[in-house]
Amino acid sequence: MLVVVMAVGMWSCSTTAKTGGGGTVLTEERPQLSPEQARLYDHYFLEAMVQRQKGQNDAAFDLLRHCLDINPYAAEVYYFLAQYYSALKQTEKSLDYFQTAARLNPQNETYMETLAQVYIRQQNYQEAIAVVEKIYERHKDREGLLEMLFQLYQEVNDYKSAVAVLDRIEMIDGKSERLSLAKSEVYTRMGNEKAAVAEMAALAKQYPNDLNYLAMYGESLMMNGETKQALDIYDRILNEEPNNNRVLMSLRTYYQSQQNQAMADSLTRRVLLGRNTSLEEKTYLIRQIIATNEQEGGDSTEVLRMFHQMMEVDTTDVDIPMLCATYMDLKKMPSDSIKPVLNYILKLAPDNSTARLHLVGYAWAEDDKDRVIELCQTARAYNPDNMAFYYYQGIAYYQRDSLDQALSTFQNGVSVINEQSNADIVSDFYEVMGEILHKKGRVQEAFAAYDSCLQWKPDNIPCLNNYAYYLSLQNENLSKAETMSMKTLKAEPKNATYLDTFAWILFMQERYAEAKIYIDQALQNVDSVALNGDTISNAAIYEHAGDIYWYCKDPDKALTYWQDALKGDAENKVLIRKVKLKKYFKE
């Protein structure tokens, strides 16, 4: 409220409102508000701010327009209305109001900076420059404004002014590599090669013991066509510092431009195998080598030779071996040639989960469950929070019928679940846990695991089917089972297993006619299951068909289906009894 009262006092002064620079045109003199007008204005403006804070923007908008009727010289009203017009996509009116707010109260930095940003968004850089210059005149301590001006002057190709801005920054901060480089680049764009070179020469002269600045001077000479002088400087630097990568890289670029590929390749190897070469430099060069190699036919021999030479020089860094393994994978090289590189990485960094997961993937593809288990067990010591290792190890144990070990692995994996965990993996964890628990006869625990699975992924179709089927076997919560089973049919309407589950749930509800419709569909699609070699599942479908047909008063058809079921499940004692006595029995 204090701000508003102070502002009213200011508005009450009779002063001239200039109209230059765009914006709503107002009368020359600002009329003085009466006490009643000032009171009403304060009331409506404050209420507008309250409504704005509440998110009631329609009400705030109407109140602000009413404020403008009372006081058409209120800068803050124009400022807030401008934002609303911007949201309404009324670009011209929004700009008009931002301009008016800044003109009525040019001392307000927020109004001025917002106007500058609006000009920049509209790519009206000249107007933006004028506004930013005004702000800087009042706040010479704000160096960020000079950085903005430097960019803006370049946008309008006013390079002379851009250099002048850099001079202003230099007066504050002193000469620096950043400023000298920027100046040199601007001079080069201006076509003033002499000034561009002179700028870098001055930097090198100011810091004569810094070979990096001397190298930058050489680069400037090279860039501006003074090749001989640049090469002399490079020789001078290399005499003092033979492994100066900046110079070596510059020379490499030069020899490439001269089509001297042999010299360029020699420099490439020199940099790549240099002990003081940074990872960024190595990565940049090796990617260039790969790109060139692909353009020339994709012979990987030379690339791999370079990778191995680099690994021989640096026996501690894992990034290059990882890049090598990635390259080999992209080139679809055999896993036996990639695995040694991945094992080398693990030797250097046993906690490298990426390399270990690749090895797990290869072992999985080779059906080497023992290797999967071994890799994952070791990984859990180094990466205890990575759920993928628990998942693969648990599945490997499960497929090996080591149920206790599989369950223990999954339970350990569940303990590291958090809000950021991958929902698909967590869901699969609980699904397999449910299967194991059900096999071990711990039915209610299995159902709890299924519930957890569906909390993480409600559309986990295999879980929905198994959960529904096991509920029907328990003759428990059949309505829930039916709902879940229907979801699986919507997802895969021709899946024989899912059709059989739904038919069996209906059978358990004594809805035999409906059950017959779905078991017939299951039998029509049973070949899709047979393709998986799942003879026991096929046998179950035929047995269910026989049971359903028995209750549909067709004992001959029922016997035929029981006989078909017995072919795939010859040890089923209940099924044997059904066929022998030609009669339905419960298990």
Side-chain angles (χ1 to χ4, degrees), residues 507-551:
F507 174 84
M508 294 301 295
Q509 295 174 310
E510 300 181 3
R511 294 157 61 183
Y512 304 122
E514 294 176 73
K516 181 176 177 296
I517 294 171
Y518 286 95
I519 201 65
D520 284 344
Q521 292 181 46
L523 292 168
Q524 290 171 11
N525 291 279
V526 78
D527 286 341
S528 64
V529 177
L531 290 174
N532 296 324
D534 197 348
T535 56
I536 298 297
S537 292
N538 289 341
I541 294 173
Y542 284 112
E543 184 178 3
H544 289 161
D547 296 349
I548 292 168
Y549 269 86
W550 173 268
Y551 273 95

Short mmCIF file of all heavy atoms in Angstrom, two decimals, residues 507-551:
data_model
loop_
_atom_site.label_atom_id
_atom_site.label_comp_id
_atom_site.label_asym_id
_atom_site.label_seq_id
_atom_site.Cartn_x
_atom_site.Cartn_y
_atom_site.Cartn_z
N PHE A 507 -16.91 -69.86 -16.06
CA PHE A 507 -17.27 -71.21 -15.62
C PHE A 507 -17.37 -71.26 -14.09
O PHE A 507 -18.32 -71.84 -13.54
CB PHE A 507 -16.20 -72.20 -16.11
CG PHE A 507 -16.38 -73.59 -15.60
CD1 PHE A 507 -17.24 -74.48 -16.23
CD2 PHE A 507 -15.69 -74.04 -14.48
CE1 PHE A 507 -17.41 -75.78 -15.76
CE2 PHE A 507 -15.85 -75.34 -13.99
CZ PHE A 507 -16.71 -76.21 -14.64
N MET A 508 -16.42 -70.63 -13.40
CA MET A 508 -16.43 -70.64 -11.94
C MET A 508 -17.62 -69.86 -11.39
O MET A 508 -18.05 -70.08 -10.25
CB MET A 508 -15.13 -70.06 -11.39
CG MET A 508 -13.89 -70.91 -11.70
SD MET A 508 -14.00 -72.59 -11.05
CE MET A 508 -14.02 -72.28 -9.28
N GLN A 509 -18.16 -68.96 -12.20
CA GLN A 509 -19.36 -68.22 -11.80
C GLN A 509 -20.64 -68.91 -12.25
O GLN A 509 -21.73 -68.35 -12.13
CB GLN A 509 -19.31 -66.79 -12.39
CG GLN A 509 -18.18 -65.93 -11.84
CD GLN A 509 -18.06 -64.59 -12.55
OE1 GLN A 509 -18.03 -64.53 -13.78
NE2 GLN A 509 -18.02 -63.52 -11.79
N GLU A 510 -20.48 -70.14 -12.80
CA GLU A 510 -21.60 -70.97 -13.27
C GLU A 510 -22.34 -70.32 -14.44
O GLU A 510 -23.52 -70.56 -14.67
CB GLU A 510 -22.56 -71.30 -12.13
CG GLU A 510 -21.87 -72.06 -11.01
CD GLU A 510 -22.82 -72.43 -9.87
OE1 GLU A 510 -24.03 -72.14 -10.00
OE2 GLU A 510 -22.37 -73.02 -8.89
N ARG A 511 -21.61 -69.53 -15.22
CA ARG A 511 -22.19 -68.90 -16.43
C ARG A 511 -21.69 -69.71 -17.63
O ARG A 511 -20.86 -69.28 -18.42
CB ARG A 511 -21.74 -67.44 -16.50
CG ARG A 511 -22.32 -66.59 -15.37
CD ARG A 511 -21.50 -65.35 -15.08
NE ARG A 511 -21.40 -64.42 -16.19
CZ ARG A 511 -20.68 -63.29 -16.16
NH1 ARG A 511 -20.01 -62.97 -15.04
NH2 ARG A 511 -20.63 -62.50 -17.20
N TYR A 512 -22.22 -70.94 -17.72
CA TYR A 512 -21.66 -71.94 -18.62
C TYR A 512 -21.86 -71.60 -20.09
O TYR A 512 -20.96 -71.83 -20.92
CB TYR A 512 -22.26 -73.32 -18.30
CG TYR A 512 -22.06 -73.72 -16.86
CD1 TYR A 512 -23.15 -74.01 -16.03
CD2 TYR A 512 -20.78 -73.80 -16.31
CE1 TYR A 512 -22.98 -74.37 -14.71
CE2 TYR A 512 -20.60 -74.16 -14.99
CZ TYR A 512 -21.71 -74.44 -14.19
OH TYR A 512 -21.53 -74.79 -12.87
N ALA A 513 -23.00 -71.05 -20.45
CA ALA A 513 -23.26 -70.72 -21.86
C ALA A 513 -22.28 -69.64 -22.34
O ALA A 513 -21.74 -69.72 -23.46
CB ALA A 513 -24.70 -70.25 -22.04
N GLU A 514 -22.07 -68.63 -21.48
CA GLU A 514 -21.10 -67.59 -21.84
C GLU A 514 -19.69 -68.16 -21.89
O GLU A 514 -18.89 -67.83 -22.78
CB GLU A 514 -21.14 -66.45 -20.82
CG GLU A 514 -22.43 -65.67 -20.80
CD GLU A 514 -22.43 -64.63 -19.69
OE1 GLU A 514 -21.71 -63.62 -19.83
OE2 GLU A 514 -23.11 -64.86 -18.67
N ALA A 515 -19.38 -69.03 -20.96
CA ALA A 515 -18.04 -69.64 -20.92
C ALA A 515 -17.77 -70.41 -22.21
O ALA A 515 -16.65 -70.39 -22.74
CB ALA A 515 -17.93 -70.57 -19.72
N LYS A 516 -18.81 -71.09 -22.74
CA LYS A 516 -18.65 -71.87 -23.97
C LYS A 516 -18.27 -70.97 -25.14
O LYS A 516 -17.45 -71.35 -25.99
CB LYS A 516 -19.95 -72.61 -24.27
CG LYS A 516 -19.91 -73.49 -25.51
CD LYS A 516 -21.21 -74.26 -25.67
CE LYS A 516 -21.21 -75.08 -26.94
NZ LYS A 516 -21.16 -74.26 -28.16
N ILE A 517 -18.82 -69.76 -25.20
CA ILE A 517 -18.50 -68.83 -26.31
C ILE A 517 -17.00 -68.51 -26.32
O ILE A 517 -16.36 -68.56 -27.37
CB ILE A 517 -19.32 -67.53 -26.17
CG1 ILE A 517 -20.81 -67.82 -26.35
CG2 ILE A 517 -18.83 -66.48 -27.16
CD1 ILE A 517 -21.71 -66.64 -26.02
N TYR A 518 -16.46 -68.25 -25.13
CA TYR A 518 -15.05 -67.83 -25.06
C TYR A 518 -14.09 -69.00 -25.17
O TYR A 518 -12.99 -68.86 -25.72
CB TYR A 518 -14.82 -67.02 -23.78
CG TYR A 518 -15.40 -65.63 -23.87
CD1 TYR A 518 -16.68 -65.37 -23.36
CD2 TYR A 518 -14.71 -64.61 -24.49
CE1 TYR A 518 -17.23 -64.10 -23.46
CE2 TYR A 518 -15.25 -63.34 -24.59
CZ TYR A 518 -16.51 -63.09 -24.08
OH TYR A 518 -17.06 -61.83 -24.19
N ILE A 519 -14.50 -70.18 -24.67
CA ILE A 519 -13.59 -71.33 -24.79
C ILE A 519 -13.52 -71.79 -26.25
O ILE A 519 -12.46 -72.24 -26.71
CB ILE A 519 -14.01 -72.50 -23.87
CG1 ILE A 519 -12.79 -73.43 -23.62
CG2 ILE A 519 -15.17 -73.28 -24.45
CD1 ILE A 519 -11.67 -72.79 -22.87
N ASP A 520 -14.62 -71.60 -26.99
CA ASP A 520 -14.58 -71.92 -28.42
C ASP A 520 -13.60 -71.00 -29.14
O ASP A 520 -12.85 -71.44 -30.02
CB ASP A 520 -15.98 -71.79 -29.04
CG ASP A 520 -16.89 -72.97 -28.68
OD1 ASP A 520 -16.36 -74.01 -28.23
OD2 ASP A 520 -18.12 -72.84 -28.83
N GLN A 521 -13.60 -69.71 -28.77
CA GLN A 521 -12.65 -68.76 -29.38
C GLN A 521 -11.22 -69.12 -29.01
O GLN A 521 -10.30 -69.00 -29.83
CB GLN A 521 -12.96 -67.33 -28.93
CG GLN A 521 -14.28 -66.78 -29.47
CD GLN A 521 -14.52 -65.36 -29.01
OE1 GLN A 521 -13.63 -64.51 -29.07
NE2 GLN A 521 -15.74 -65.09 -28.54
N ALA A 522 -11.04 -69.57 -27.76
CA ALA A 522 -9.70 -69.98 -27.32
C ALA A 522 -9.21 -71.15 -28.16
O ALA A 522 -8.05 -71.21 -28.59
CB ALA A 522 -9.72 -70.35 -25.85
N LEU A 523 -10.11 -72.13 -28.41
CA LEU A 523 -9.74 -73.30 -29.20
C LEU A 523 -9.42 -72.92 -30.64
O LEU A 523 -8.53 -73.51 -31.28
CB LEU A 523 -10.87 -74.33 -29.17
CG LEU A 523 -11.11 -74.99 -27.79
CD1 LEU A 523 -12.42 -75.76 -27.80
CD2 LEU A 523 -9.94 -75.92 -27.45
N GLN A 524 -10.12 -71.92 -31.18
CA GLN A 524 -9.85 -71.46 -32.54
C GLN A 524 -8.46 -70.84 -32.65
O GLN A 524 -7.82 -70.87 -33.71
CB GLN A 524 -10.90 -70.44 -32.97
CG GLN A 524 -12.28 -71.02 -33.19
CD GLN A 524 -13.34 -69.94 -33.40
OE1 GLN A 524 -13.02 -68.76 -33.59
NE2 GLN A 524 -14.60 -70.34 -33.38
N ASN A 525 -7.99 -70.26 -31.55
CA ASN A 525 -6.69 -69.56 -31.57
C ASN A 525 -5.60 -70.32 -30.84
O ASN A 525 -4.53 -69.78 -30.58
CB ASN A 525 -6.85 -68.18 -30.91
CG ASN A 525 -7.70 -67.24 -31.75
OD1 ASN A 525 -7.23 -66.64 -32.70
ND2 ASN A 525 -8.98 -67.13 -31.39
N VAL A 526 -5.86 -71.61 -30.52
CA VAL A 526 -4.92 -72.36 -29.69
C VAL A 526 -3.59 -72.56 -30.39
O VAL A 526 -2.55 -72.74 -29.74
CB VAL A 526 -5.53 -73.71 -29.26
CG1 VAL A 526 -5.47 -74.73 -30.39
CG2 VAL A 526 -4.81 -74.25 -28.03
N ASP A 527 -3.55 -72.51 -31.71
CA ASP A 527 -2.30 -72.69 -32.45
C ASP A 527 -1.29 -71.61 -32.11
O ASP A 527 -0.08 -71.83 -32.14
CB ASP A 527 -2.55 -72.71 -33.95
CG ASP A 527 -3.19 -74.01 -34.41
OD1 ASP A 527 -3.11 -74.99 -33.64
OD2 ASP A 527 -3.75 -74.04 -35.51
N SER A 528 -1.79 -70.38 -31.77
CA SER A 528 -0.88 -69.31 -31.41
C SER A 528 -0.11 -69.64 -30.14
O SER A 528 1.01 -69.21 -29.93
CB SER A 528 -1.65 -67.99 -31.22
OG SER A 528 -2.54 -68.09 -30.12
N VAL A 529 -0.72 -70.44 -29.26
CA VAL A 529 -0.04 -70.91 -28.06
C VAL A 529 0.87 -72.08 -28.40
O VAL A 529 1.99 -72.18 -27.93
CB VAL A 529 -1.05 -71.31 -26.98
CG1 VAL A 529 -0.32 -71.85 -25.75
CG2 VAL A 529 -1.90 -70.10 -26.58
N ALA A 530 0.38 -72.95 -29.28
CA ALA A 530 1.15 -74.14 -29.64
C ALA A 530 2.47 -73.77 -30.28
O ALA A 530 3.46 -74.48 -30.16
CB ALA A 530 0.34 -75.02 -30.60
N LEU A 531 2.51 -72.63 -30.98
CA LEU A 531 3.75 -72.19 -31.60
C LEU A 531 4.85 -71.99 -30.58
O LEU A 531 6.03 -72.07 -30.90
CB LEU A 531 3.51 -70.88 -32.36
CG LEU A 531 2.65 -70.99 -33.63
CD1 LEU A 531 2.36 -69.62 -34.21
CD2 LEU A 531 3.35 -71.85 -34.68
N ASN A 532 4.47 -71.70 -29.35
CA ASN A 532 5.46 -71.53 -28.29
C ASN A 532 5.87 -72.86 -27.66
O ASN A 532 6.64 -72.90 -26.71
CB ASN A 532 4.92 -70.61 -27.19
CG ASN A 532 4.66 -69.21 -27.73
OD1 ASN A 532 5.41 -68.72 -28.56
ND2 ASN A 532 3.61 -68.57 -27.24
N GLY A 533 5.32 -73.96 -28.15
CA GLY A 533 5.65 -75.29 -27.61
C GLY A 533 5.09 -75.51 -26.21
O GLY A 533 5.57 -76.36 -25.48
N ASP A 534 4.07 -74.74 -25.85
CA ASP A 534 3.54 -74.82 -24.48
C ASP A 534 2.44 -75.87 -24.45
O ASP A 534 1.25 -75.57 -24.40
CB ASP A 534 3.02 -73.44 -24.08
CG ASP A 534 2.84 -73.32 -22.58
OD1 ASP A 534 2.90 -74.35 -21.90
OD2 ASP A 534 2.63 -72.20 -22.10
N THR A 535 2.83 -77.14 -24.46
CA THR A 535 1.84 -78.22 -24.54
C THR A 535 0.99 -78.31 -23.29
O THR A 535 -0.19 -78.69 -23.35
CB THR A 535 2.54 -79.56 -24.79
OG1 THR A 535 3.51 -79.77 -23.76
CG2 THR A 535 3.25 -79.56 -26.14
N ILE A 536 1.56 -78.00 -22.12
CA ILE A 536 0.79 -78.07 -20.88
C ILE A 536 -0.32 -77.03 -20.90
O ILE A 536 -1.47 -77.31 -20.52
CB ILE A 536 1.71 -77.85 -19.66
CG1 ILE A 536 2.77 -78.96 -19.58
CG2 ILE A 536 0.89 -77.81 -18.37
CD1 ILE A 536 2.21 -80.35 -19.38
N SER A 537 -0.01 -75.80 -21.39
CA SER A 537 -1.05 -74.78 -21.49
C SER A 537 -2.13 -75.21 -22.46
O SER A 537 -3.33 -75.01 -22.21
CB SER A 537 -0.43 -73.45 -21.94
OG SER A 537 0.40 -72.93 -20.94
N ASN A 538 -1.71 -75.81 -23.57
CA ASN A 538 -2.70 -76.32 -24.52
C ASN A 538 -3.59 -77.37 -23.86
O ASN A 538 -4.81 -77.38 -24.04
CB ASN A 538 -2.00 -76.95 -25.73
CG ASN A 538 -1.34 -75.90 -26.61
OD1 ASN A 538 -1.68 -74.73 -26.53
ND2 ASN A 538 -0.40 -76.33 -27.43
N ALA A 539 -2.97 -78.24 -23.09
CA ALA A 539 -3.73 -79.29 -22.41
C ALA A 539 -4.75 -78.68 -21.45
O ALA A 539 -5.88 -79.15 -21.36
CB ALA A 539 -2.77 -80.20 -21.66
N ALA A 540 -4.33 -77.61 -20.75
CA ALA A 540 -5.26 -76.96 -19.82
C ALA A 540 -6.45 -76.37 -20.55
O ALA A 540 -7.60 -76.44 -20.07
CB ALA A 540 -4.51 -75.86 -19.04
N ILE A 541 -6.20 -75.77 -21.73
CA ILE A 541 -7.30 -75.20 -22.50
C ILE A 541 -8.28 -76.29 -22.91
O ILE A 541 -9.50 -76.14 -22.78
CB ILE A 541 -6.75 -74.46 -23.75
CG1 ILE A 541 -5.94 -73.23 -23.31
CG2 ILE A 541 -7.90 -74.02 -24.67
CD1 ILE A 541 -5.22 -72.54 -24.45
N TYR A 542 -7.76 -77.44 -23.40
CA TYR A 542 -8.64 -78.53 -23.80
C TYR A 542 -9.38 -79.13 -22.61
O TYR A 542 -10.57 -79.50 -22.71
CB TYR A 542 -7.84 -79.63 -24.51
CG TYR A 542 -7.47 -79.25 -25.94
CD1 TYR A 542 -6.15 -79.02 -26.31
CD2 TYR A 542 -8.47 -79.14 -26.92
CE1 TYR A 542 -5.81 -78.67 -27.60
CE2 TYR A 542 -8.14 -78.80 -28.23
CZ TYR A 542 -6.81 -78.55 -28.57
OH TYR A 542 -6.49 -78.22 -29.85
N GLU A 543 -8.71 -79.21 -21.47
CA GLU A 543 -9.39 -79.73 -20.28
C GLU A 543 -10.51 -78.80 -19.85
O GLU A 543 -11.62 -79.24 -19.51
CB GLU A 543 -8.40 -79.92 -19.14
CG GLU A 543 -9.06 -80.55 -17.91
CD GLU A 543 -8.09 -80.81 -16.78
OE1 GLU A 543 -6.90 -80.44 -16.91
OE2 GLU A 543 -8.53 -81.36 -15.74
N HIS A 544 -10.23 -77.49 -19.88
CA HIS A 544 -11.28 -76.52 -19.53
C HIS A 544 -12.45 -76.62 -20.51
O HIS A 544 -13.62 -76.53 -20.11
CB HIS A 544 -10.72 -75.10 -19.55
CG HIS A 544 -9.78 -74.81 -18.42
ND1 HIS A 544 -8.89 -73.77 -18.44
CD2 HIS A 544 -9.59 -75.44 -17.23
CE1 HIS A 544 -8.19 -73.76 -17.32
NE2 HIS A 544 -8.60 -74.78 -16.56
N ALA A 545 -12.12 -76.83 -21.79
CA ALA A 545 -13.18 -76.98 -22.79
C ALA A 545 -14.06 -78.18 -22.46
O ALA A 545 -15.30 -78.11 -22.54
CB ALA A 545 -12.58 -77.12 -24.18
N GLY A 546 -13.41 -79.27 -22.08
CA GLY A 546 -14.19 -80.46 -21.71
C GLY A 546 -15.08 -80.20 -20.52
O GLY A 546 -16.26 -80.58 -20.51
N ASP A 547 -14.56 -79.52 -19.50
CA ASP A 547 -15.36 -79.22 -18.30
C ASP A 547 -16.55 -78.35 -18.66
O ASP A 547 -17.68 -78.56 -18.17
CB ASP A 547 -14.49 -78.51 -17.26
CG ASP A 547 -13.35 -79.39 -16.76
OD1 ASP A 547 -13.36 -80.60 -17.04
OD2 ASP A 547 -12.43 -78.85 -16.07
N ILE A 548 -16.30 -77.33 -19.48
CA ILE A 548 -17.39 -76.42 -19.85
C ILE A 548 -18.44 -77.14 -20.68
O ILE A 548 -19.66 -76.98 -20.45
CB ILE A 548 -16.81 -75.21 -20.62
CG1 ILE A 548 -15.96 -74.34 -19.68
CG2 ILE A 548 -17.92 -74.38 -21.26
CD1 ILE A 548 -15.12 -73.30 -20.37
N TYR A 549 -18.02 -77.96 -21.64
CA TYR A 549 -19.00 -78.69 -22.46
C TYR A 549 -19.78 -79.71 -21.62
O TYR A 549 -20.94 -80.01 -21.90
CB TYR A 549 -18.28 -79.39 -23.63
CG TYR A 549 -18.24 -78.51 -24.87
CD1 TYR A 549 -17.22 -77.58 -25.05
CD2 TYR A 549 -19.23 -78.59 -25.84
CE1 TYR A 549 -17.17 -76.75 -26.17
CE2 TYR A 549 -19.21 -77.79 -26.97
CZ TYR A 549 -18.18 -76.87 -27.13
OH TYR A 549 -18.17 -76.06 -28.25
N TRP A 550 -19.14 -80.26 -20.58
CA TRP A 550 -19.87 -81.18 -19.69
C TRP A 550 -21.05 -80.46 -19.06
O TRP A 550 -22.16 -81.00 -19.02
CB TRP A 550 -18.91 -81.72 -18.62
CG TRP A 550 -19.63 -82.54 -17.59
CD1 TRP A 550 -20.15 -82.10 -16.40
CD2 TRP A 550 -19.93 -83.93 -17.66
NE1 TRP A 550 -20.73 -83.11 -15.71
CE2 TRP A 550 -20.63 -84.27 -16.47
CE3 TRP A 550 -19.69 -84.92 -18.61
CZ2 TRP A 550 -21.07 -85.56 -16.21
CZ3 TRP A 550 -20.13 -86.21 -18.35
CH2 TRP A 550 -20.81 -86.51 -17.16
N TYR A 551 -20.81 -79.24 -18.58
CA TYR A 551 -21.89 -78.49 -17.94
C TYR A 551 -22.85 -77.88 -18.95
O TYR A 551 -23.92 -77.42 -18.58
CB TYR A 551 -21.31 -77.40 -17.03
CG TYR A 551 -21.01 -77.92 -15.65
CD1 TYR A 551 -19.74 -78.37 -15.31
CD2 TYR A 551 -22.02 -77.98 -14.68
CE1 TYR A 551 -19.47 -78.86 -14.05
CE2 TYR A 551 -21.75 -78.48 -13.41
CZ TYR A 551 -20.48 -78.92 -13.09
OH TYR A 551 -20.22 -79.44 -11.84
#
